[in-house]
DNA sequence: CATTGTTTACAAGCTT
DNA sequence: AAGCTTGTAAACAATG
């Protein structure tokens, strides 16, 4: 039921950034091109929030269009006369948003070499007068072989001279992979006339928050593993042939680290997620490439690079630390080479740290932006611009790392501090210099979990409280909508007898961890013997089904004070794994 | 003159 | 704490 809706919530800020909104708009167009005014319209049509303060956000939007390399101008064609040009997405920014979920962007999309020539490469097929190869093909970045990941994934099985029971692991991972590669991947993920990607009945695709969550984990996991295997793997790779070694299988080659590593929390969940992600990514990537069909003509003007960009470019050229992300490892391109240009010169940047920010981080910080100001003279820096800070009602797309559980909000930092596996970290420290990285990588994992959960809740709230203007004028409307809905996707079969199943899933070693004295950390024995950390994995499957409902239903678990994460984790992690 | 685009500055949330 | 990403405000240039 659409619920009373009414205005009250209609103006909530959508959890999408301008870049996301713009990308959504552009992608919704059949041509994948839109004029500025059309973009405005698209946004205003489906996000009530943006029907106000138009000057403000439209200015921001324009800024984004010009500033970000992912958006490029294309001259209008004769059939669409009008004021400005059309905007489109850069041919290679396809993966800018993980899994097509606009909830989060991976990294700022930067046009590679920043050289015209290089860019021209993309520009050509884009503009092509005669489109040599008709549509498809030749759009993807050449180096991104869609099958690379897949290949590596498939080939991993032959790489384990395991000292670990890989079979067992594989066994429990299998189902996840299958799920990950499910049919939804190929589905059109853009609602024809509603807010893109917001799940709705009949929409054969996992909820966006699930995808986003999975994405979060994926990166966190990559680091986590890399921190452990990184150096060894690197060495190994440098000497041995450039054969692709799947990071996961690489882990099994680690003699020393193995033992300790296996005792870290969430390891099995991590593994399955990582693999599922790889498999899924390969497919998604492939689809993205094939679906991209751009047919435009005319020239594309060169992009000029402003000072701000130059500065960024320069700064970027510093000594890069080898990155062992899964992506890099998969591509076999980790030591990104580096060196070069000790920039110096530019340093005068004295951004007055001013505020003593870092204030206490109260749970559930409300909005309340800075409002200080008032420093009287301030004549120093001449430019008096930016005066009415008071009224600065900017809204941010950032969502924070609070996790609502029941009526309470928990800050990620608290969750982490109470779950940090100190002893295990120390154990690793004794055999590897990477302990610190392992720790921070794991911390990130938790952070992402919290952050992802936060987003999920945010979006859920938005979805529930906003009456979407379905079938809103201009666009195709109902008809399309209708055809969409009838086809119900199995919609979570409710079965799944609760968390039970897990037991064996949860791998080895947890018990033993607990042995570590200090570690016991109370934790009340709530679930008692039940190994805690993996709890998440286990119920995941079940939770997966009714997921949405889950979050706010507080009752069931009264969290025993200490078991913050346990309680929290249950929701985010399980939902994530669902993807 | 109103839009459409570019750029520079800054503040503040988030990540490393 | 340094560095990166977003959201805003503004000054201007270019167009129609
Ligand atoms: Mg641009």
């Amino acid at each position: 039921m659409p619920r009373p809706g009414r205005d009250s919530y209609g103006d909530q800020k959508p959890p999408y950034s301008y870049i996301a909104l713009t990308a959504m708009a552009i992608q919704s167009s059949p041509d994948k091109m839109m004029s500025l005014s059309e973009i405005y319209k698209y946004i205003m049509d489906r996000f009530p929030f943006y029907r106000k303060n138009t000057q403000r956000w439209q200015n921001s939007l324009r800024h984004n269009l010009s500033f970000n390399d992912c958006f490029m101008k294309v001259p209008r064609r004769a059939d669409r006369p009008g004021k400005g040009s059309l905007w489109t997405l850069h041919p290679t920014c396809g993966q800018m948003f993980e899994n097509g979920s606009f909830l989060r962007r991976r990294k700022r999309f930067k046009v590679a070499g920043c050289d015209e020539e290089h860019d021209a490469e993309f520009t050509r097929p884009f503009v092509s007068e005669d489109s040599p190869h008709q549509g498809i093909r030749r759009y993807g970045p050449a180096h991104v072989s869609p099958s690379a990941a897949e290949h590596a994934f498939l080939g991993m099985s032959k790489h384990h001279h395991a000292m670990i029971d890989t079979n067992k692991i594989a066994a429990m991972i299998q189902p996840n992979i299958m799920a990950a590669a499910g049919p939804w991947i190929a589905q059109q993920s853009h609602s024809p006339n509603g807010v893109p990607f917001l799940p709705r009945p009949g929409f054969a695709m996992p909820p966006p928050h699930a995808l986003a969550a999975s994405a979060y984990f994926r990166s966190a996991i990559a680091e986590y593993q890399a921190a452990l295997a990184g150096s060894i793997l690197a060495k190994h790779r440098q000497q041995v042939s450039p054969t692709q070694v799947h990071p996961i299988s690489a882990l099994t080659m680690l003699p020393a680290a193995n033992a300790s590593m296996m005792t870290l929390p969430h390891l099995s969940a991590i593994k399955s997620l990582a693999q599922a992600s790889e498999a899924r990514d390969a497919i998604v990537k492939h689809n993205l490439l094939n679906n991209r069909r751009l047919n435009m003509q005319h020239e594309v003007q060169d992009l000029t690079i402003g000072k701000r960009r130059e500065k960024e470019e320069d700064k970027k050229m510093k000594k890069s630390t080898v990155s062992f992300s899964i992506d890099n490892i998969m591509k076999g391109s980790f030591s990104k080479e580096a060196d070069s240009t000790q920039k110096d010169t530019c340093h005068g940047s004295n951004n007055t740290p001013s505020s003593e920010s870092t204030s206490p981080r109260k749970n559930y910080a409300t909005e309340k932006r800075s409002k200080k100001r008032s420093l009287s003279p301030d004549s120093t820096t001449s430019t008096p611009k930016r005066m009415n800070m008071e009224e600065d009602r900017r809204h941010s797309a950032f969502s924070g790392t609070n996790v609502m559980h029941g009526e309470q909000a928990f800050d990620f930092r608290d969750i982490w501090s109470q779950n940090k596996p100190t002893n295990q970290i120390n154990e690793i420290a004794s055999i590897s210099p990477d302990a610190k990285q392992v720790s921070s990588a794991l911390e990130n994992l938790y952070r992402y979990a919290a952050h992802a959960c936060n987003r999920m809740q945010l979006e859920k709230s938005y979805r529930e409280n906003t009456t979407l203007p379905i079938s809103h004028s201009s666009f195709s409307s109902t008809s399309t909508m209708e055809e969409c809905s009838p086809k119900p996707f199995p919609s979570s079969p409710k079965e799944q007898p609760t968390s039970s199943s897990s037991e064996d899933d949860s791998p080895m070693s947890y018990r033993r961890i607990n042995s570590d004295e200090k570690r016991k950390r109370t934790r009340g024995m709530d679930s008692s013997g039940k190994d805690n950390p993996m709890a998440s994995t286990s119920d995941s499957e079940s939770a997966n089904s009714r997921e949405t409902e889950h979050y706010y239903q507080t009752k069931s678990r009264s969290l025993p004070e200490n078991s913050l994460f346990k309680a929290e984790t249950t929701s985010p992690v399980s939902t994530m794994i669902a993807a």
Side-chain angles (χ1 to χ4, degrees), chain A residues 248-392:
Chain A
I248 291 177
S249 57
L251 286 180
T252 67
M253 303 197 273
L254 294 176
N258 258 336
S260 310
M261 187 181 73
M262 296 308 285
T263 70
L264 288 172
H266 299 110
L267 187 61
S268 74
I270 283 170
K271 287 192 168 198
S272 56
L273 271 173
Q275 294 188 40
S277 292
E278 288 305 330
R280 186 196 58 230
D281 274 11
I283 298 175
V284 170
K285 207 173 291 183
H286 181 270
N287 287 338
L288 282 175
L289 293 181
N290 283 327
N291 290 337
R292 183 178 286 288
R293 57 141 229 328
L294 303 167
N295 49 343
M296 39 198 85
Q297 19 215 341
H298 303 317
E299 293 298 319
V300 172
Q301 36 88 220
D302 316 314
L303 16 155
T304 51
I305 299 180
K307 285 181 183 172
R308 178 171 171 175
R309 278 185 197 154
E310 276 177 2
K311 194 167 297 181
E312 291 183 348
E313 296 294 336
D314 292 349
K315 251 31 248 188
K316 223 54 277 183
M317 291 300 281
K318 65 184 177 186
K319 151 176 58 171
S320 70
T321 334
V322 186
S323 165
F324 298 107
S325 68
I326 274 192
D327 285 332
N328 288 337
I329 292 177
M330 297 295 278
K331 290 178 191 158
S333 67
F334 35 119
S335 58
K336 206 36 176 191
E337 142 292 320
D339 71 282
S340 79
T341 66
Q342 54 294 4
K343 250 321 159 189
D344 52 66
T345 59
C346 40
H347 38 275
S349 64
N350 64 335
N351 15 302
T352 62
S354 61
S355 64
E356 66 301 339
S357 59
T358 51
S359 58
R361 87 265 184 177
K362 5 203 56 182
N363 281 343
Y364 226 21
T366 48
E367 14 68 80
K368 136 265 234 91
R369 277 303 234 220
S370 70
K371 71 167 44 164
K372 54 248 187 151
R373 184 75 328 178
S374 77
L375 252 263
S376 52
D378 192 287
S379 55
T380 54
T381 42
S382 55
T383 51
K385 51 186 64 175
R386 175 173 251 60
M387 57 285 207
N388 85 348
M389 254 331 208
E390 300 299 333
E391 288 307 311
D392 189 351

Side-chain angles (χ1 to χ4, degrees), chain A residues 24 30 34 135 224 240 321 335 362 508 527:
Chain A
M24 265 182 220
M34 256 191 187
Y224 183 41
V240 183
T321 334
S335 58
K362 5 203 56 182
M508 46 299 217
S527 50

